Amino acid sequence: MRTLSVRDERWPTAGEFRIARGAKYEAHVIVVEIAEGAHRGRGESTPYLRNGETIEGALAQVAAMAEAIEAGASRNVLQTLIEPGAARNALDCALWDLEAKRSGTPAWRTAGLERIHPLKTCFTIGMASAEDMAAAAKAAASRPMLKLKIGGGNDLDRVAAVRAAAPKTRLIVDANEGLSMELLRRLTPELAKLGVALIEQPLPASEDVQFEGYESPVPLCADESLHTRAELDDCARRYACVNIKLDKAGGLTEALAVKAAARERGLMVMAGCMVATSLAMAPAMILAQGAEFVDLDGPLLLLRDREPGLAITGSILEPPKPELWG
């Protein structure tokens, strides 16, 4: 017999974390637990206001699924019962975890992988003054890849300062819908000169049709423009890469399908995350296998992570132990 429970948790960030849309000081997440006999499956997600989600709304969505889940609904059935988003993600990942615990088969093997490899994640530097971002970059200069939040004016100065402070590090910039097309056209040649490898979501998702026919000097990556497979055809005409997140896709089940469909369309893949604990990163590590860009640094941005968490050395994420997930 199954039982479902859900709660919200608050995890303070290591400091102010600012993007073009505003600042945050904590990760406010929901955690779903599905118990069946001696086994327990868990999933964590982050409701995102930009997507019309709230903690209260996500908790209510999960509670509304209790009867179906406790009656034995599978992951595949879940896709038909609740819309994509944070609530479905937490439920879906909890079902993956429960299946692994009951069967003794690791989730990565159920997902079709022969093995799961450690990953190098990028490390995000929040938007601040050029001087402060340079100082943060200097402290993180040994990391293989940095993601810089931009979109607040003086962006070229910020990126140039970071490049000077971390001359050998691979750079990504993420505007979180904070630029205009005119500004992007001016920025991209200069960002190319600074060795920026990718520009993530420069325009609002509602305006990215402007990318059709635009040959950017730096590859563009969809984030807010992509949630599920439904947006992939549009993204393939406008972007070179897509950022797939479990919270947007509504769980690992749909995220893996998005990845496969993106590959069919010749798109590069970034496996992304919200600011969250290792419980949210663990299933995303399955998605991230073979991705060109890995952005699973959520726990690195927190004051503390949950225990047990992922083993992280510098920017290297080790595969999750069963005690954590999967």
Side-chain angles (χ1 to χ4, degrees):
M1 181 176 178
R2 283 184 183 175
T3 60
L4 180 148
S5 62
V6 61
R7 65 182 182 273
D8 66 305
E9 298 176 345
R10 296 177 183 268
W11 296 84
T13 58
E16 179 186 79
F17 183 72
R18 182 171 292 276
I19 67 173
R21 207 172 281 122
K24 69 184 305 176
Y25 302 89
E26 65 178 8
H28 196 180
V29 305
I30 66 168
V31 177
V32 167
E33 293 189 7
I34 304 173
E36 186 171 337
H39 306 290
R40 180 184 64 157
R42 298 187 300 164
E44 176 187 322
S45 66
T46 306
Y48 193 27
L49 189 59
R50 188 267 172 209
N51 295 334
E53 298 176 323
T54 63
I55 290 289
E56 295 75 18
L59 291 172
Q61 282 185 293
V62 171
M65 290 293 103
E67 183 177 355
I69 295 296
E70 292 176 352
S74 66
R75 288 187 286 107
N76 289 334
V77 169
L78 178 68
Q79 314 304 305
T80 69
L81 298 178
I82 180 173
E83 64 189 16
R88 195 177 80 184
N89 178 30
L91 288 162
D92 183 74
C93 290
L95 287 170
W96 275 91
D97 190 28
L98 180 64
E99 183 178 343
K101 300 296 194 295
R102 291 181 60 227
S103 67
T105 300
W108 54 264
R109 191 175 296 280
T110 299
L113 299 176
E114 294 184 1
R115 61 170 297 182
I116 184 168
H117 299 274
L119 296 169
K120 290 182 182 179
T121 181
C122 69
F123 179 76
T124 304
I125 295 177
M127 190 166 60
S129 68
E131 294 76 16
D132 287 347
M133 291 182 73
K138 185 175 181 179
S142 63
R143 295 186 183 274
M145 183 164 57
L146 298 176
K147 177 190 276 195
L148 315 179
K149 294 292 187 177
I150 66 169
N154 301 317
D155 289 321
L156 190 57
D157 292 341
R158 291 184 171 96
V159 179
V162 166
R163 173 51 79 204
K168 297 181 180 179
T169 302
R170 198 176 185 198
L171 297 182
I172 296 171
V173 300
D174 182 4
N176 289 110
E177 303 183 285
L179 303 181
S180 67
M181 192 65 193
E182 179 183 1
L183 181 55
L184 180 68
R185 288 181 183 275
R186 294 204 306 267
L187 278 177
T188 47
E190 302 305 317
L191 294 177
K193 291 176 186 176
L194 291 168
V196 171
L198 197 70
I199 302 172
E200 197 175 339
Q201 198 66 46
L203 299 189
S206 60
E207 299 177 13
D208 67 0
V209 68
Q210 297 177 78
F211 295 149
E212 295 187 17
Y214 171 58
E215 296 184 7
S216 176
V218 180
L220 304 181
C221 178
D223 183 0
E224 286 86 349
S225 290
L226 176 80
H227 292 254
T228 67
R229 284 170 286 178
E231 297 86 23
L232 267 177
D233 285 337
D234 284 342
C235 285
R237 294 193 298 271
R238 301 167 187 177
Y239 297 92
C241 181
V242 288
N243 185 344
I244 306 172
K245 295 178 180 174
L246 272 60
D247 279 313
K248 295 187 299 176
L252 180 60
T253 302
E254 174 65 14
L256 290 172
V258 176
K259 180 182 178 182
R263 292 303 194 197
E264 291 174 357
R265 290 159 174 77
L267 290 163
M268 293 187 292
V269 168
M270 173 187 284
C273 71
M274 308 299 286
V275 182
T277 80
S278 284
L279 182 57
M281 303 306 118
M285 286 194 69
I286 295 175
L287 173 70
Q289 299 294 304
E292 285 82 2
F293 301 94
V294 177
D295 179 20
L296 299 181
D297 64 345
L300 297 175
L301 304 174
L302 298 177
L303 189 62
R304 60 181 178 87
D305 194 9
R306 73 171 69 246
E307 296 181 1
L310 292 174
I312 305 175
T313 304
S315 294
I316 305 296
L317 309 178
E318 296 294 334
K321 302 290 186 183
E323 294 78 18
L324 173 62
W325 186 88

